[in-house]
């Protein structure tokens, strides 16, 4: 029988990497649930950026594979990270980079 996972000590936001169609839907859902969110995105439609910011989301513009940007977004205390760019290989790189800092 597997042991239950220890309770999470993460108190920070959920990081959403990518603000395309999927990222925008995820952000809206997370905010509807009352969860804090920080977005990292290279590019996004202006209306999606405005929508995210109007929901109280902090948006950082840049590449989520940049370790400094992940740390600035709050990786070390994040409750979770969702890589939802439109490029699978980039999503994998983001996950690996984040795991390197916070296994």
């Amino acid at each position: 029988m597997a042991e239950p996972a220890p309770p999470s000590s993460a108190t920070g936001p959920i990081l959403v990497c990518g603000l395309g169609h999927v990222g925008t839907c995820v952000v809206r859902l997370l905010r509807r649930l009352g969860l804090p969110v920080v977005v990292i995105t290279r590019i996004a439609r202006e209306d999606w950026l405005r929508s995210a910011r109007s929901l109280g989301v902090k948006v950082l513009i840049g590449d989520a594979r940049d370790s400094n940007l992940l740390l600035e977004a709050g990786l070390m205390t994040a409750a979770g990270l969702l890589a939802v760019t439109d490029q699978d290989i980039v999503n994998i790189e983001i996950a690996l980079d984040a795991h390197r800092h916070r296994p």
Side-chain angles (χ1 to χ4, degrees), residues 13-19 22-23 25-27 29-30 35 37-40 64 70 75 78-85 91 94-95 98:
I14 296 176
L15 307 184
V16 176
C17 303
L19 193 63
V22 172
C25 292
V26 167
V27 166
L29 175 62
L30 293 171
L35 298 169
V37 176
V38 174
V39 167
I40 302 173
L70 281 173
L75 176 64
L81 181 142
L82 299 164
V84 293
T85 74
N91 294 334
I94 292 167

Side-chain angles (χ1 to χ4, degrees), residues 75-96:
L75 176 64
M76 300 313 287
T77 60
L81 181 142
L82 299 164
V84 293
T85 74
D86 61 356
Q87 298 177 20
D88 291 340
I89 191 69
V90 171
N91 294 334
I92 292 168
E93 287 180 56
I94 292 167
L96 291 172

Side-chain angles (χ1 to χ4, degrees), residues 12-92:
I14 296 176
L15 307 184
V16 176
C17 303
L19 193 63
H21 178 73
V22 172
T24 300
C25 292
V26 167
V27 166
R28 287 181 186 148
L29 175 62
L30 293 171
R31 290 303 297 141
R32 211 174 304 139
L33 294 171
L35 298 169
V37 176
V38 174
V39 167
I40 302 173
T41 189
R42 287 183 56 218
I43 56 173
R45 289 177 22 182
E46 193 59 41
D47 57 327
W48 289 345
L49 288 169
R50 273 193 312 272
S51 174
R53 289 177 175 135
S54 74
L55 294 171
V57 173
K58 178 179 178 181
V59 178
L60 301 175
I61 304 296
D63 191 331
R65 293 171 290 181
D66 178 344
S67 295
N68 291 327
L69 198 53
L70 281 173
L71 294 172
E72 180 183 343
L75 176 64
M76 300 313 287
T77 60
L81 181 142
L82 299 164
V84 293
T85 74
D86 61 356
Q87 298 177 20
D88 291 340
I89 191 69
V90 171
N91 294 334
I92 292 168

